[in-house]
Amino acid sequence: MYFTGVLMILTFPLRGELLSPTLSIILGAGLLLPGGIDGTTQMFGNRESTNLLRVITGLLLGMGIVLFVEGVLFKLIG
């Protein structure tokens, strides 16, 4: 999660003009969903997660958090 988040922050100058703040918020929220579903199903004991699934959802969460926060900040700033 942290690795992908740092990579997303470092690549901001390359993708800064590609995403509007609204699209960034929507895409970020969409990338947060798999981690939320994975965590919720584990919390209620429906299943046990695997290491591969944790890596995948962690990577998606890292990207999603950065995109979502970035979009919200740019919406608030202007």
Side-chain angles (χ1 to χ4, degrees), residues 1 5 28-29 31-32 58 60-71:
M1 182 170 118
L31 289 171
L32 293 174
L60 293 174
L61 280 170
M63 289 189 293
I65 289 169
V66 170
L67 285 173
F68 186 82
V69 170
E70 181 181 284

Side-chain angles (χ1 to χ4, degrees), residues 15-53:
R15 62 180 168 75
E17 297 295 321
L18 294 176
L19 296 174
S20 69
T22 305
L23 184 59
S24 183
I25 292 170
I26 293 169
L27 187 58
L31 289 171
L32 293 174
L33 283 175
I37 293 169
D38 181 42
T40 303
T41 56
Q42 286 183 72
M43 181 175 63
F44 290 115
N46 294 345
R47 60 179 190 77
E48 188 75 25
S49 185
T50 64
N51 286 337
L52 179 62
L53 186 58

